[in-house]
């Protein structure tokens, strides 16, 4: 059973779960949740607002007022209510569009139900307009999108997910010393952006929340995947802990592995997880967005090369990188990790997106970084290519093995124009084939290493 009502199947939408949600004092109306005791025209506006933002869920038949003696779960007549919502969506929304409906009967024999309206922003025809305006959802209320937000909705790709939230993670840069040399073999970065709930938009990061997030990371598959990257050279590791002086809206956690004692400053593998919350005084017309970024920094090659006579030439085995990627992605969807991220942002776990981008920045050629065991280089990949003339697709072209490849077309003889602009005689000393660059293709064999072929 899915732990989130936002993503639960129809069979898992039970009245007991809805009662438990309504009884929670912390589960108030938010960015993705709205309560309605009955149908009203504002319900259609909320559907449009959620469709233009992150999606969400509207529970019709739940009193939005909380107080002593107030019954929250009141129920409605299901079919007439659904008919009203469908009619409102058809006549008010532009373009006409309706979300998904689920009828959850009460268990008191009254014949009434709670109608669950689930708005999926992934399938909505965004932007959804009402009277030429685009409603958007903020924390517990609706607002009108500004010009920039409307342009963003219009320009987004049909296949893009909500808000282009996932993801636009900035590519990292390798740190360099005073001589300009990289201080690591490579850095790997991924991350997510996520919306902020009402409480998460203003409250600071607490020590308890950050510590719980660090513990969830320690309990995930991430640490073992990091340790595996050391290829047996790691003697000591630290758990995730705070790095430096954290601010009210920012926190950094670090995991480090060394070859000797804990005081050893040579960190063969290092992982830094950064949490950045938006400032509480941001524009009220813009949905606040937080980010979680993960950087993995490896230095095993540099350590091996710096050992002098005891050093060796290290290459990262591809299976070890595969284990790292699997462990990283497995941790990103780990229920405990997702729950802590959702708690920090004050959102439902269904809104914690999966990472979509992965950046790898290295200080050396990929053949000098990875072990070639079991790999075979594809000739010509990564080299400069000329515009292809009309003809068969690349997969249909045939080139004899070892044949050289011309990188530029032969230069035409330069002619001095006459005073009327017509081509004149050739310039003295000019060779028609001058300027033609040729390169012999390079191939790779695990047994013999790189070699030139004629």
């Amino acid at each position: 059973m899915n732990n989130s009502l936002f993503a639960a199947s129809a069979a898992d939408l039970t009245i007991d779960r809805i009662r438990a949600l309504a009884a929670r004092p912390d589960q108030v109306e938010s960015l993705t949740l709205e309560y309605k005791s009955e149908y009203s025209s504002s319900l259609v506006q909320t559907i449009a607002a959620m469709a233009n933002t992150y999606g969400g869920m509207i529970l019709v038949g739940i009193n939005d007022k909380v107080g002593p003696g107030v019954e929250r779960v009141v129920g409605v007549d299901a079919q007439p209510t659904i008919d009203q919502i469908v009619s409102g969506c058809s006549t008010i929304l532009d373009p006409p569009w309706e979300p998904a409906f689920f009828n959850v009967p009460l268990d008191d024999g009254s014949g009434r139900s709670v109608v669950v309206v689930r708005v999926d922003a992934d399938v909505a025809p965004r932007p959804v307009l009402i009277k030429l305006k685009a409603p958007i959802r903020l924390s517990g209320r609706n607002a009108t999108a500004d010009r920039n937000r409307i342009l963003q909705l219009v320009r987004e790709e049909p296949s893009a997910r909500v808000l282009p939230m996932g993801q636009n993670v900035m590519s990292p840069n390798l740190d360099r010393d005073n001589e300009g040399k990289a201080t690591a073999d490579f850095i790997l970065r991924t991350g997510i952006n996520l919306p902020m709930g009402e409480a998460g938009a203003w409250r600071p990061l607490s020590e308890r929340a950050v510590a719980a997030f660090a513990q969830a990371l320690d309990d995930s598959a991430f640490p073992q995947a990091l340790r595996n990257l050391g290829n047996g050279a790691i003697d000591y590791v630290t758990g995730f802990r705070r790095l430096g002086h954290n601010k009210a809206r920012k926190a950094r956690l670090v995991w480090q592995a060394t070859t000797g004692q804990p005081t050893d400053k040579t960190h063969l593998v290092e992982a830094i997880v950064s949490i950045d919350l938006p400032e509480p005084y941001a524009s009220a017309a813009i949905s606040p967005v937080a980010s979680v970024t993960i950087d993995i920094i490896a230095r095993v090659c540099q350590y091996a090369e710096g050992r002098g006579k005891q050093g060796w030439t290290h290459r990262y085995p591809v299976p070890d990188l595969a284990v790292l990627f699997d462990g990283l992605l497995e941790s990103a969807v780990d229920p405990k990790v997702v729950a802590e991220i959702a708690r920090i942002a004050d959102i439902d776990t269904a809104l914690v997106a999966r990472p979509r981008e992965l950046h790898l920045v290295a200080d050396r050629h990929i053949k000098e970084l990875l072990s070639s065991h079991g790999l075979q280089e594809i000739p010509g990949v990564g080299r400069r290519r000329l515009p292809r003339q009309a003809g068969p697709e690349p997969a249909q072209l045939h080139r004899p093995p070892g044949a050289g490849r011309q990188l530029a077309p032969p230069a035409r003889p330069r002619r001095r124009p006459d005073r009327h602009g017509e081509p004149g005689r050739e310039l003295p000393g000019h060779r028609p084939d001058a300027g033609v660059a040729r390169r012999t293709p390079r191939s790779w064999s695990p047994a013999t290493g790189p070699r030139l072929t004629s």
Side-chain angles (χ1 to χ4, degrees), residues 96-167:
W97 176 77
E98 62 184 63
F101 304 96
F102 300 90
N103 177 19
V104 184
L106 301 184
D107 53 1
D108 57 2
S110 63
R112 297 171 70 83
S113 303
V114 172
V115 176
V116 178
V117 183
R118 185 179 291 168
V119 181
D120 188 349
D122 290 350
V123 299
R126 292 152 52 118
V128 179
L129 305 179
I130 296 180
K131 296 181 179 180
L132 301 181
K133 295 182 179 180
I136 58 172
R137 186 71 176 171
L138 300 180
S139 295
R141 63 185 179 89
N142 301 327
T144 300
D146 58 13
R147 180 175 181 273
N148 291 334
R149 181 72 181 104
I150 294 176
L151 289 176
Q152 186 182 28
L153 287 168
V154 171
R155 293 172 178 172
E156 69 182 3
E157 295 293 332
S159 61
R161 285 189 59 88
V162 183
L163 253 187
M165 282 300 289
Q167 314 228 353

Side-chain angles (χ1 to χ4, degrees), residues 218-233:
D218 281 335
D219 294 340
S220 69
F222 197 18
Q224 183 57 41
L226 291 169
R227 185 160 191 162
N228 186 74
L229 194 62
N231 200 27

Side-chain angles (χ1 to χ4, degrees), residues 141-362:
R141 63 185 179 89
N142 301 327
T144 300
D146 58 13
R147 180 175 181 273
N148 291 334
R149 181 72 181 104
I150 294 176
L151 289 176
Q152 186 182 28
L153 287 168
V154 171
R155 293 172 178 172
E156 69 182 3
E157 295 293 332
S159 61
R161 285 189 59 88
V162 183
L163 253 187
M165 282 300 289
Q167 314 228 353
N168 304 327
V169 178
M170 295 293 293
S171 178
N173 294 316
L174 279 173
D175 291 336
R176 298 186 179 274
D177 58 20
N178 296 332
E179 298 179 357
K181 297 180 180 179
T183 59
D185 304 332
F186 68 84
I187 179 171
L188 184 73
R189 171 174 290 181
T190 189
I192 58 172
N193 298 321
L194 58 155
M196 296 293 294
E198 183 175 9
W202 57 264
R203 70 186 177 196
L205 277 169
S206 66
E207 292 286 342
R208 181 177 180 180
V210 175
F213 182 43
Q215 185 62 52
L217 290 172
D218 281 335
D219 294 340
S220 69
F222 197 18
Q224 183 57 41
L226 291 169
R227 185 160 191 162
N228 186 74
L229 194 62
N231 200 27
I234 293 175
D235 298 323
Y236 179 83
V237 299
T238 67
F240 279 96
R241 66 190 190 282
R242 278 191 175 242
L243 174 64
H245 299 284
N246 297 283
K247 301 180 181 180
R249 311 293 295 175
K250 301 179 185 294
R252 299 176 75 197
L253 300 172
V254 62
W255 182 98
Q256 294 171 325
T258 64
T259 60
Q261 298 301 317
T263 56
D264 194 337
K265 296 182 179 181
T266 303
H267 302 133
L268 298 187
V269 181
E270 193 172 21
I272 300 175
V273 180
S274 303
I275 308 171
D276 290 277
L277 304 185
E279 295 298 335
Y281 49 79
S283 171
I286 301 175
S287 299
V289 176
S291 66
V292 178
T293 307
I294 303 175
D295 288 336
I296 301 172
I297 306 164
R299 304 183 179 92
V300 182
C301 290
Q302 291 191 0
Y303 172 78
E305 295 166 359
R307 296 281 291 173
K309 294 182 178 180
Q310 298 179 353
W312 68 94
T313 300
H314 179 74
R315 298 289 184 269
Y316 292 95
V318 173
D320 288 355
L321 286 182
V323 170
L324 176 65
F325 295 158
D326 289 344
L328 178 60
L329 295 178
E330 183 179 343
S331 303
V333 298
D334 183 276
K336 292 183 179 179
V337 174
V338 171
E340 295 304 328
I341 294 176
R343 186 172 290 110
I344 290 174
D346 188 39
I347 58 175
D348 190 88
T349 54
L351 293 180
V352 180
R354 298 181 180 184
R356 293 190 184 175
E357 294 182 347
L358 191 66
H359 298 278
L360 175 63
V361 179

Side-chain angles (χ1 to χ4, degrees), residues 6 12 36 129 233 237 383 408 422 436 438 450:
F6 289 85
D12 292 334
K36 293 288 185 183
L129 305 179
V237 299
R383 294 175 183 155
E422 297 297 331
V436 178
R438 300 177 183 273

Side-chain angles (χ1 to χ4, degrees), residues 383-384 403-411 432-441:
R383 294 175 183 155
R384 175 173 174 262
R405 183 159 56 90
Q406 183 172 288
L407 297 182
D433 61 345
V436 178
R438 300 177 183 273
R439 186 193 300 176
T440 305

